[in-house]
């Protein structure tokens, strides 16, 4: 069970594109006081946890409302995740323009951390047939992954000084490679189940 937890944790961690999120967070908090920056990081983390758990646990209900099969959604969401991965690898994923007012939900939580591709992947992962224990393990791994990203945001200035913006860009590209493999797996599973 611990191996499953670690596997799911790693999958969710990279799904949240942590290094791109960190880069965006640094852009939005330039010149902000350290205390305000940490508080913003905590609020973003809480918003992302709530959003991710809702998407993960209510995927089947959403599919039922729209009459979409899980495998059809796997193929569509996998393709969307692959496009997101390609944009990360090519360095073309951009930070939305800054908005007035509170930014912890929009744009930092949604769509920067939980974008369309991440949303689709979470819905798919939550829609599979699982036991109560598996769902509990997945939920714990998901929360830990989000909290890991949140910890990175809290330590954003230190990480920025340590590896710099260029280092973050390189790590974002590596994340894109991992996401592309995850996207391919989701698409292949969807096609296999659809044809089978």
């Amino acid at each position: 069970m611990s191996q499953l937890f670690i596997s799911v944790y790693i999958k969710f961690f990279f799904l949240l594109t942590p290094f791109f999120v960190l880069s965006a967070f640094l852009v939005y908090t330039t010149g902000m006081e350290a205390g305000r920056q940490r508080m913003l990081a905590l609020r973003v983390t809480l918003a992302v946890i709530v959003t991710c758990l809702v998407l993960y646990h209510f995927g089947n209900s959403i599919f039922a409302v729209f009459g979409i099969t899980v495998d059809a959604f796997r193929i569509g969401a996998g393709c969307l995740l692959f496009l997101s991965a390609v944009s990360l690898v090519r360095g073309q994923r951009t930070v939305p323009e800054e908005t007035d007012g509170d930014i912890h939900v929009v744009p930092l939580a949604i769509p920067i951390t939980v974008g369309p591709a991440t949303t689709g992947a979470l819905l798919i992962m939550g829609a599979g047939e699982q036991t109560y224990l598996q769902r509990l393990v997945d939920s714990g791994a998901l929360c830990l992954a989000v909290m890991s990203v949140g910890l990175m945001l809290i330590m954003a200035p230190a990480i920025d000084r340590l590896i710099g913006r260029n280092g973050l860009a390189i790590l974002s590209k590596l994340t894109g490679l991992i996401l592309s493999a995850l996207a391919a797996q989701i698409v292949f599973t969807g096609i296999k189940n659809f044809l089978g």
Side-chain angles (χ1 to χ4, degrees):
M1 194 57 70
S2 61
Q3 190 174 358
L4 174 64
F5 183 89
I6 293 168
S7 172
V8 173
Y9 164 78
I10 292 171
K11 193 181 294 184
F12 281 136
F13 179 76
F14 283 104
L15 191 59
L16 293 168
T17 59
F19 302 107
F20 172 74
V21 173
L22 182 57
S23 298
F25 184 81
L26 287 166
V27 168
Y28 281 113
T29 59
T30 300
M32 187 179 286
E33 295 174 3
R36 281 188 62 205
Q37 195 177 45
R38 284 193 295 271
M39 183 57 66
L40 180 61
L42 290 171
R43 294 174 73 186
V44 170
T45 303
L46 182 60
V48 172
I49 284 176
V50 171
T51 304
C52 287
L53 287 176
V54 168
L55 290 170
Y56 179 77
H57 287 285
F58 293 96
N60 282 325
S61 302
I62 294 170
F63 293 144
V65 167
F66 292 102
I68 303 170
T69 65
V70 176
D71 292 316
F73 198 83
R74 272 196 179 100
I75 296 168
C79 292
L80 190 59
L81 184 60
F82 184 77
L83 291 174
S84 179
V86 169
S87 69
L88 277 174
V89 171
R90 298 181 67 182
Q92 294 176 329
R93 192 168 175 185
T94 56
V95 176
E97 292 182 10
E98 189 166 356
T99 55
D100 296 328
D102 203 344
I103 59 172
H104 80 279
V105 175
V106 178
L108 285 175
I110 305 168
I112 289 176
T113 310
V114 186
T118 307
T119 298
L122 283 167
L123 288 170
I124 289 165
M125 290 175 180
E129 292 183 8
Q130 295 174 313
T131 64
Y132 177 77
L133 183 59
Q134 285 175 319
R135 282 197 166 272
L136 196 61
V137 169
D138 284 2
S139 297
L142 175 55
C143 288
L144 185 61
V146 176
M147 286 189 283
S148 297
V149 176
L151 183 62
M152 288 175 62
L153 298 184
I154 291 170
M155 299 173 62
I159 295 173
D160 188 29
R161 286 193 298 271
L162 183 64
I163 60 177
R165 300 296 169 97
N166 287 336
L168 287 174
I170 292 168
L171 290 171
S172 289
K173 291 176 187 291
L174 292 174
T175 301
L177 289 173
I178 294 168
L179 284 183
S180 66
L182 181 60
Q185 185 64 54
I186 291 172
V187 171
F188 291 155
T189 301
I191 292 172
K192 179 185 174 183
N193 293 344
F194 193 75
L195 295 176

